[in-house]
Amino acid sequence: MLHTSTLLPALIKLIAWTALSSLVASTSAYANCENTDIKPGLQQLFSKSWGIEYSGERFQSSANTSINADNASTLSLKWAYGLSTDQPRSYPLVTEDTLFIGDGGRGLVALDKETGCVRWENNSIKDISTSIISEQVDGRTLLIFSGRRSGVHAVDASTGDNVWSSVPKVHPVPLFSGSPLAYKDTIFVPISSLEIGLSANPFYGCCTTSGGMAALDVRTGELLWYRPTIEKAGSVITGKHYLFVEKRGPSGAPVWGAPMLDTQRDLLFFGSGQNYSLPASLTSDAIFAVHTKTGEIAWVKQFTADDTFNMACTISIDHPNCPSTMGPDVDFGAPPLLTQRLSGQDILIAGQKSGDVYGINPNTGQTIWSTRFGRGGPLGGVHWGIAANPELGLAFIPISDIPAFPSDVPQAPGLYAIDVKDGSLRWSVEREASCQERSCWTGLSAAITAGPNIVVAGAMDGILEIYRADNGEKLWSYNTKTEYDAVNGLPTKGGTLDAHGPMLAGNLLIVSSGYGSFQQEAGNALLVFSTAQEQTP
């Protein structure tokens, strides 16, 4: 899963944005926010996980959102907040009066939901890359999230004070990209590896690590168990180059996406990525089911074999660290989801970067049906996340199909609605590309969100749209690629819509616009839209 970015340009951008943010904050940032109450309300939470519910359906019911097919067309911009990064990678947690989100190089911020004014901010963790989730621990609410390199963190939601930080010692170079999930006394943390990028160095011996799923104690961050995707990563010496650089494998199979929790079966479901080096393993490009108490595997099902790829291959297929039998890089970056067929039977649905979508028996891992949309490739196919509406028996599949490797299969960027019982197509919206460049490509890479008879999707060309869930009719559209007068005074503009995607909460629609990775349109706008009527608890 290409959820990585070039480190040096990102560092330069981070320094520039941090300096600009500090300058503005010292002058006019809080001119209208002097009377903002620093204490957030914590009685009503609009999501339990990255997937809204533990099931991962990314479905917000009418109990938690008043935005629906009848009033979506009335949405208007309520306020914009200028983020301190042009690669926003955080997904908000919303309460009755507060929006918690990671603000790039600035840290974690608690924003007044009505005005966008800052209640409190925590400047100690500046690489937040996941959704913000919460858990009740000993009478207080903890905010839990991961930093890309800094590990997993717990912060007091009332004050912003640090409670604990943890870097699970599972291998030397962990990377935290997928959002954690908290349930009762345990936090489940997906882990990948920096070796995806380190492989670009020809003097680096690729590769020895694997991805996996860690379970931490919610009170302390202590590691309870770890399930690697490859039991003996790097155990085979496969050769040398430059006389002394040793090649090893199998490696890779990172876990890029959030896990999904089945509370009835006590199982976690998650997907794995491609192998980084030869030999290929049987657990790359696979869906795992593991027991929540122990991490023991209930079943694992591989969907694409021999997919071996790393960042060295983007430099040259002749790079000494690029596998000699390079794969297509079509891993599972998007989390699977658990939903029900209208008959009442559970079904696990997983979308792959190949463009394939699978209906899976959650008890056995057996494939019930499969279908394919578009061409697929290293940046999708299905890239960040699918959604489902259990009331309609539909799943919604965003297809990126960003230009990548040559292929005879036509690109088909757009949104597809399928019947969860058999994978059959119910409707589709194919988005026509205005150019072949990544900065204006019209595919859907970001995760999408479903609501009461609506689907909200953000495209790489910066267009945010809402469709009727039952027939695909477009109800509302907004071009986020513009400049904004931000409530915090920071110069603010929108760009590519990518990564975690939109959030529905009450009468609000929330999205981060601008994702400057992979030659896409950079921006730093946190946008909050609203309908006229507030959602009552």
Side-chain angles (χ1 to χ4, degrees), residues 49-59 259-261 335-338 386-388:
S49 70
W50 180 91
I52 310 299
E53 296 290 338
Y54 298 129
S55 63
E57 291 170 299
R58 297 273 294 193
F59 174 72
M260 190 284 297
L261 174 66
L337 62 81
L338 185 71
I386 62 178

Side-chain angles (χ1 to χ4, degrees), residues 344-391:
Q345 295 174 301
D346 288 344
I347 187 167
L348 188 69
I349 299 178
Q352 194 176 357
K353 282 166 50 179
S354 60
D356 292 287
V357 183
Y358 307 95
I360 303 166
N361 184 326
N363 295 309
T364 64
Q366 177 185 4
T367 302
I368 299 171
W369 53 257
S370 66
T371 188
R372 183 177 181 181
F373 301 102
R375 187 170 80 173
L379 294 174
V382 178
H383 199 200
W384 277 86
I386 62 178
N389 184 323
E391 297 170 356

Side-chain angles (χ1 to χ4, degrees), residues 215-256:
L216 309 184
D217 186 291
V218 73
R219 289 177 171 80
T220 64
E222 178 185 355
L223 182 66
L224 300 176
W225 55 255
Y226 180 63
R227 165 51 54 191
T229 56
I230 303 172
E231 288 287 357
K232 296 181 179 180
S235 59
V236 179
I237 300 174
T238 61
K240 293 182 180 181
H241 62 262
Y242 302 158
L243 299 179
F244 64 90
V245 181
E246 196 172 72
K247 297 182 179 182
R248 287 183 173 270
S251 65
V255 182
W256 292 115

Side-chain angles (χ1 to χ4, degrees), residues 1-4 175 191-197 199 206-207 209-212 229-230 233 250-257 271-288 302-314 321-323 325-334 352-354 377-380 383 405:
M1 182 69 173
L2 290 178
H3 281 180
T4 59
L175 189 65
I191 297 177
S192 52
S193 167
L194 277 171
E195 285 193 314
I196 181 73
S199 62
C206 181
C207 285
T209 65
S210 81
T229 56
I230 303 172
S251 65
V255 182
W256 292 115
S272 66
Q274 81 282 359
N275 287 118
Y276 293 164
S277 60
L278 294 168
S281 69
L282 298 177
T283 52
S284 57
D285 292 8
I287 298 296
F288 281 73
Q302 185 177 58
F303 288 87
T304 301
D306 301 318
D307 185 7
T308 309
F309 179 89
N310 60 52
M311 295 300 287
C313 302
T314 66
N321 277 333
C322 182
T325 54
M326 184 183 74
D329 185 21
V330 290
D331 51 86
F332 288 96
Q352 194 176 357
K353 282 166 50 179
S354 60
L379 294 174
H383 199 200
F405 298 152

Side-chain angles (χ1 to χ4, degrees), residues 1 27 31 57 62 82 204 233 291 316 340 345 366 369 371 389 397 417 454 509:
M1 182 69 173
T27 55
E57 291 170 299
S62 57
Y204 184 81
H291 295 282
S316 170
Q340 281 194 338
Q345 295 174 301
Q366 177 185 4
W369 53 257
T371 188
N389 184 323
I397 314 299
I454 59 172
L509 166 59

Side-chain angles (χ1 to χ4, degrees), residues 160-172:
D161 294 336
N162 293 325
V163 177
W164 55 256
S165 294
S166 174
V167 181
K169 293 180 173 59
V170 295
H171 61 67

Side-chain angles (χ1 to χ4, degrees), residues 262-267 346:
D262 183 344
T263 58
Q264 298 301 310
R265 295 175 177 83
D266 286 328
L267 292 177
D346 288 344

